[in-house]
Amino acid sequence: MTTRNQSSCDESEMELFSYLLRLGDNALILGQQLGASVGKGPELEEEMALANFALDYIGQARLFFGLAAEIEGKGRNEDDLAFLRDGIDFTNVLLVEQPNGDFAQTIARQFFFESFYLLQLRALRHSENSKLAEIAAKAGKEIQYHLRHTQQWLVRLGDGTVESHRRMQAGVDRLWQYTGELFEIDDLDRWAIDAGIGADLAEIRQTWLAEIKSAFVEATLEMPAGEWMAGGGKQGRHSEHLGYLLADLQFLQRAYPGAAW
Amino acid sequence: MYTQGLDQKSDAVDPQRDDEVRLRQFQARIDQEEKIEAKDWMPDAYRKTLIRQISQHAHSEIVGMLPEGNWITRAPTLRRKAILLAKVQDEAGHGLYLYSAAETLGVSRDELIDQMLTGKAKYSSIFNYPTLTWADIGAIGWLVDGAAIMNQIPLCRCSYGPYARAMVRVCKEESFHQRQGYEIMLTLSRGSDEQIRMAQDALNRWWWPSLMMFGPGDADSKHSAQSMAWKIKRFSNDELRQKFVDVTVPQADYIGLKMPDPDLRKNDETGHYKYGEIDWEEFMQVLAGNGPCNRERLESRQHAHAEGQWVRDAATAYAEKQAARQAAA
Ligand SMILES: [Fe+2]
Ligand SMILES: [Fe+2]
């Protein structure tokens, strides 16, 4: 009996660890993408915003990984989790690893993800795990600010010039197929929902759709029509983009194993 | 300052505007350490000198984001990545305050940025050197931000109020950057042989260009006297360079790195370090556009600007539509 309790406790710790990794991976990969766009912004204020948002995401990744490592209890730290796992071990959604593309595609990616992520974080504020709830509350404040900024660009570009409208529409059409995965509920999500740890993605989806629709109306954009949705990121099945992203990210830690920086 | 204490050709000055009585009153205010504000009368040459210096400084902040931005995606730990992102964000902020300070002198940011993109305006030549290893990020913070602070601290007392106030804010952040850069070097110098080699190599490459940041020697610095009289400049190029050397050499000693200067000696009488001959030919070449990265840096900025045109146009078009909608409502 004791042994069983012990093992089920270990199991739930493993689940929690994996759940935190997913959150950390999304934040890390998006932070890495935004970091790569520094120096390429359309104006100086935007350069600052991009660097600032990248910084927020890297900060969030550190918090999620830090807690994950602590729960895992095997002596790994945030950097081990970020720099010493291979692509098939990363469980971020495919959306965040999509390239920056032109500024409209960057905005489309940020808008789709952040409008989802903010709802997810709001739900996580009520997580049974109080440390996770704390991180979610802090991150939520940052993402609320990002989303306001991102949505303003969505509207400006959608309702700006003929060219910006065309690009913005192309951006959202291009990335729409990666939005399904955000709400896909697999075994791990099911566990998190049942344990009161994680967000109920089905509930979030309705709010998300309503918000997206109203933003698109304001931005004079058409809702993308595609029905087919890509998936697999959460299970470690990624696009080719991730490998290159990790090659940059992990270069120094791989080239000089065990060095302190 | 990233302006290199460089005296370029003066722009044409309108003599009608600088009548003698006003000039004398103006100089009297400066001599009494009064701050000159945007709305005050000022000689045309004073205005032009400031526009040139402040905008050069602003361009340097912006171009300076590129060599460091080069390592954001490859920073070795999440903590280092966060620090680097924060630094690059600070530099963009410095660019913004400085363009605003220049705008108080009656020139627009768009005009100034255009001068930079077309190669008419200079930026500090230090940013035309490449960042080849992670240690370069340490070396830039330690040496380049360190040299910038030497230049900028006296600028906090510059006679032109808006510039002086911008510098107070900038200096606080630069000294943060300097410490963080030095801490990277310290960590590397206590690391593996490979890391020590990386740190020494970065120092070898960045030391001399950092000394060049202070501009030509006093003997070759023709217009400094006027800037001194106007209290835009408080110390000569060589004085500032000497201060920088005196502060930095012991820091290198402390972390066991060797300055790439066989002639470097401490003069025990004066307490100053005597350093070897600076390669001014290299400096002039980099300034003339022949540094290792001049073309890449300018092309990067031009590319980002061109790629962003449709975005800026969209923002303008949207703002106009909004204004029209509000007027109609
Ligand atoms: Fe700066
Ligand atoms: Fe700096």
Side-chain angles (χ1 to χ4, degrees):
Chain A
M1 211 49 193
T2 331
T3 329
R4 252 191 85 174
N5 270 344
Q6 184 62 43
S7 87
S8 91
C9 171
D10 284 350
E11 258 168 49
S12 80
E13 278 177 359
M14 274 316 294
E15 309 275 16
L16 180 54
F17 171 75
S18 305
Y19 192 77
L20 289 165
L21 269 193
R22 278 189 184 177
L23 291 164
D25 287 349
N26 282 344
L28 173 63
I29 301 303
L30 207 47
Q32 180 75 357
Q33 298 268 45
L34 292 173
S37 71
V38 170
K40 303 185 175 82
E43 58 188 13
L44 199 44
E45 285 79 357
E46 200 51 32
E47 298 266 358
M48 263 186 96
L50 289 168
N52 182 241
F53 293 169
L55 180 58
D56 286 343
Y57 276 113
I58 296 304
Q60 292 170 20
R62 295 181 67 188
L63 294 172
F64 288 129
F65 288 154
L67 182 55
E70 187 187 307
I71 283 164
E72 188 193 36
K74 288 185 184 162
R76 289 205 281 183
N77 63 25
E78 59 178 42
D79 288 329
D80 296 329
L81 294 176
F83 295 94
L84 300 179
R85 285 182 299 141
D86 204 346
I88 51 174
D89 303 318
F90 271 76
T91 54
N92 57 281
V93 291
L94 296 176
L95 178 61
V96 297
E97 71 197 47
Q98 298 310 305
N100 289 328
D102 67 1
F103 188 63
Q105 195 175 317
T106 299
I107 291 298
R109 184 190 64 209
Q110 297 307 113
F111 178 68
F112 281 144
F113 182 74
E114 290 178 335
S115 53
F116 152 78
Y117 187 37
L118 181 59
L119 295 170
Q120 186 186 33
L121 290 170
R122 284 192 176 147
L124 288 173
R125 280 188 312 196
H126 309 293
S127 174
E128 289 289 326
N129 184 296
S130 62
K131 286 182 181 169
L132 173 54
E134 236 171 76
I135 298 173
K138 181 183 181 293
K141 282 183 202 140
E142 293 167 353
I143 300 303
Q144 189 176 3
Y145 176 75
H146 294 199
L147 181 59
R148 199 182 315 142
H149 181 92
T150 305
Q151 188 161 342
Q152 278 168 359
W153 273 117
L154 181 90
V155 172
R156 264 186 228 130
L157 297 181
D159 191 19
T161 62
V162 173
E163 185 184 7
S164 71
H165 178 85
R166 177 182 61 74
R167 286 178 185 256
M168 196 62 246
Q169 186 69 55
V172 294
D173 288 348
R174 172 83 179 71
L175 296 181
W176 178 246
Q177 61 173 313
Y178 301 108
T179 58
E181 190 189 10
L182 301 172
F183 304 100
E184 220 172 67
I185 297 177
D186 67 0
D187 289 348
L188 183 60
D189 289 311
R190 175 56 51 208
W191 167 84
I193 296 165
D194 292 346
I197 300 270
D200 188 339
L201 300 174
E203 255 173 44
I204 289 178
R205 181 157 194 274
Q206 294 315 311
T207 318
W208 181 79
L209 258 183
E211 286 180 2
I212 292 273
K213 278 183 183 154
S214 103
F216 275 40
V217 169
E218 200 193 343
T220 70
L221 295 167
E222 297 283 330
M223 280 293 282
E227 303 246 316
W228 186 82
M229 288 290 163
K234 284 155 76 163
Q235 293 78 36
R237 298 286 170 266
H238 290 280
S239 62
E240 290 177 349
H241 304 297
L242 187 69
Y244 294 97
L245 190 150
L246 294 181
D248 268 358
L249 176 79
Q250 300 181 338
F251 155 62
L252 281 168
Q253 292 270 354
R254 300 289 191 182
Y256 302 97
W261 302 93
Chain B
M1 159 172 80
Y2 295 121
T3 52
Q4 217 130 43
L6 194 71
D7 303 308
Q8 294 177 297
K9 269 186 303 215
S10 304
D11 296 319
V13 168
D14 179 0
Q16 303 300 106
R17 290 168 63 181
D18 294 354
D19 60 282
E20 280 199 16
V21 181
R22 282 173 136 181
L23 271 176
R24 238 179 296 133
Q25 287 167 344
F26 177 79
Q27 190 60 51
R29 291 187 63 193
I30 290 194
D31 293 342
Q32 285 161 39
E33 298 286 337
E34 265 182 60
K35 288 277 177 267
I36 307 299
E37 295 301 331
K39 290 195 182 80
D40 299 347
W41 183 86
M42 61 187 82
D44 211 32
Y46 177 82
R47 181 188 302 277
K48 283 183 169 140
T49 300
L50 277 169
I51 290 176
R52 201 170 46 235
Q53 178 167 331
I54 299 171
S55 62
Q56 255 186 43
H57 188 167
H59 302 329
S60 302
E61 299 283 358
I62 302 312
V63 177
M65 292 167 69
L66 298 172
E68 292 186 282
N70 186 36
W71 280 89
I72 289 174
T73 60
R74 293 176 291 170
T77 67
L78 294 180
R79 175 174 165 263
R80 293 290 183 203
K81 193 189 288 288
I83 292 172
L84 183 56
L85 277 164
K87 178 178 198 273
V88 172
Q89 187 193 341
D90 287 347
E91 306 301 5
H94 298 170
L96 277 175
Y97 319 143
L98 286 161
Y99 284 124
S100 303
E103 281 186 320
T104 63
L105 292 159
V107 58
S108 75
R109 183 170 121 190
D110 285 351
E111 257 174 88
L112 296 174
I113 288 187
D114 199 63
Q115 288 172 6
M116 186 248 288
L117 294 173
T118 53
K120 266 185 255 164
K122 298 280 180 219
Y123 55 86
S124 178
S125 60
I126 191 86
F127 300 118
N128 290 317
Y129 290 86
T131 48
L132 302 179
T133 71
W134 170 251
D136 291 33
I137 300 306
I140 289 184
W142 174 33
L143 302 173
V144 176
D145 288 78
I149 294 165
M150 284 299 164
N151 261 320
Q152 285 169 7
I153 285 174
L155 283 173
C156 297
R157 294 187 294 128
C158 164
S159 60
Y160 188 57
Y163 191 24
R165 289 189 290 273
M167 276 307 104
V168 172
R169 206 166 155 184
V170 168
C171 274
K172 275 189 202 142
E173 293 178 347
E174 301 296 14
S175 63
F176 221 69
H177 298 165
Q178 193 270 349
R179 264 177 283 156
Q180 288 163 340
Y182 186 61
E183 203 238 317
I184 291 177
M185 297 302 269
L186 174 75
T187 307
L188 292 174
S189 74
R190 291 181 178 167
S192 65
D193 290 350
E194 288 153 318
Q195 287 175 303
I196 293 167
R197 174 169 168 258
M198 209 183 270
Q200 183 62 57
D201 180 65
L203 175 58
N204 293 350
R205 285 180 289 110
W206 289 93
W207 173 245
W208 290 107
S210 303
L211 295 188
M212 294 176 198
M213 281 177 73
F214 296 90
D218 294 349
D220 301 308
S221 199
K222 281 160 278 180
H223 300 161
S224 286
Q226 180 62 79
S227 282
M228 293 271 205
W230 278 333
K231 300 196 174 164
I232 294 173
K233 214 173 156 75
R234 302 233 175 208
F235 298 97
S236 76
N237 294 352
D238 283 334
E239 282 169 335
L240 291 169
R241 187 166 15 242
Q242 186 64 55
K243 271 193 196 187
F244 174 71
V245 172
D246 290 343
V247 168
T248 310
V249 173
Q251 293 173 345
D253 287 344
Y254 180 73
I255 57 177
L257 296 179
K258 207 175 150 352
M259 287 299 187
D261 178 357
D263 299 325
L264 190 72
R265 298 268 182 288
K266 187 167 184 176
N267 180 328
D268 286 323
E269 272 165 47
T270 61
H272 295 303
Y273 285 89
K274 190 181 158 1
Y275 50 91
E277 191 64 34
I278 292 173
D279 181 357
W280 293 112
E281 173 57 21
E282 174 180 327
F283 176 73
M284 294 320 288
Q285 285 298 336
V286 177
L287 216 59
N290 298 322
C293 298
N294 292 57
R295 286 164 193 83
E296 281 96 332
R297 298 291 184 244
L298 209 52
E299 278 165 11
S300 291
R301 289 318 320 179
Q302 287 164 344
H303 185 74
H305 190 76
E307 287 287 297
Q309 189 61 50
W310 68 269
V311 178
R312 297 189 299 276
D313 290 346
T316 310
Y318 179 76
E320 281 166 4
K321 280 188 205 179
Q322 281 296 84
R325 281 178 201 134
Q326 269 167 9

